[in-house]
Amino acid sequence: MTTTTAAAMKQQHDTRSGNAPLSQEQLEAMIEQYFDCKLSDDDERRLRCELASTSFSSETIDEARFTMGFLSMGMARTQASREPAPRWHKSWMRVAAAAAAVALVVSAGLYVTRMATTPPDACYAWVNGHKVSDDKVVMRMIQRNFDDIDRASSSVDDHMMQQLQSMGQALDADEN
């Protein structure tokens, strides 16, 4: 759009009472200015009103309707999310924050106390809710666990080999 066209449109807009509808060409020119960020706040408001009430339809007009509608929905949601929280909500959050801080301090104190009473080189295990502190018993339990893992691993390896052999035989049979 040329500068003279924009100036003429601006002059026409300024002399109007604000109630006369724009022609399709004027509306599309105003939309172009909107997307070029050349409209004043008053002109943007006018454009929104024109888009809401005009019967004209074109690719440019429909795109502007979509964009401006989408932006106004986003602005409405943003403004709604900026509304201050109710007074009871703020006090509840303060109580929750204080309770969380107390729980954190108590947990840290219990952890430090427990660490101070447990020798650093102690070897123990918990079995069905009972503490087993005999080093030899704990080491045998660990060894049994490793043996179970080893047996399970061997079983998986054997199963995988059987599967691969079956697949190989099926492929050989398919090729012949």
Side-chain angles (χ1 to χ4, degrees):
M1 179 169 67
T2 63
T3 310
T4 55
T5 309
M9 193 179 115
K10 176 75 173 155
Q11 185 178 11
Q12 278 182 340
H13 176 66
D14 289 342
T15 58
R16 290 177 186 253
S17 63
N19 295 332
L22 297 174
S23 68
Q24 183 171 349
E25 293 78 23
Q26 290 172 321
L27 184 58
E28 288 178 352
M30 198 171 203
I31 290 169
E32 186 176 326
Q33 286 183 325
Y34 170 78
F35 285 120
D36 290 338
C37 300
K38 294 180 180 177
L39 290 182
S40 67
D41 290 343
D42 290 335
D43 289 338
E44 265 190 51
R45 279 190 284 282
R46 169 85 191 274
L47 178 60
R48 286 182 200 282
C49 290
E50 289 289 332
L51 286 173
S53 63
T54 189
S55 61
F56 297 125
S57 180
S58 71
E59 187 175 321
T60 304
I61 293 172
D62 293 341
E63 179 183 359
R65 280 183 178 137
F66 172 78
T67 303
M68 294 179 92
F70 183 74
L71 291 176
S72 67
M73 289 300 295
M75 287 188 292
R77 286 185 181 175
T78 302
Q79 288 173 350
S81 67
R82 288 184 184 167
E83 290 178 6
R87 188 174 186 93
W88 63 267
H89 182 69
K90 289 180 183 178
S91 62
W92 180 82
M93 291 297 286
R94 287 183 185 141
V95 170
V102 168
L104 181 65
V105 169
V106 169
S107 297
L110 289 174
Y111 177 76
V112 169
T113 303
R114 181 171 286 168
M115 291 305 292
T117 60
T118 305
D121 59 347
C123 180
Y124 60 92
W126 289 92
V127 180
N128 294 330
H130 300 290
K131 184 176 181 178
V132 177
S133 56
D134 184 2
D135 291 351
K136 291 179 184 177
V137 173
V138 171
M139 293 309 287
R140 277 196 305 259
M141 291 170 58
I142 291 172
Q143 185 60 45
R144 271 184 284 181
N145 285 339
F146 281 135
D147 292 342
D148 291 343
I149 291 170
D150 188 44
R151 278 192 301 279
S153 177
S154 296
S155 175
V156 168
D157 288 344
D158 292 343
H159 185 68
M160 288 295 292
M161 286 304 293
Q162 290 173 356
Q163 292 292 324
L164 290 173
Q165 287 173 352
S166 297
M167 288 173 51
Q169 291 170 356
L171 288 173
D172 288 340
D174 194 36
E175 288 179 359
N176 295 330

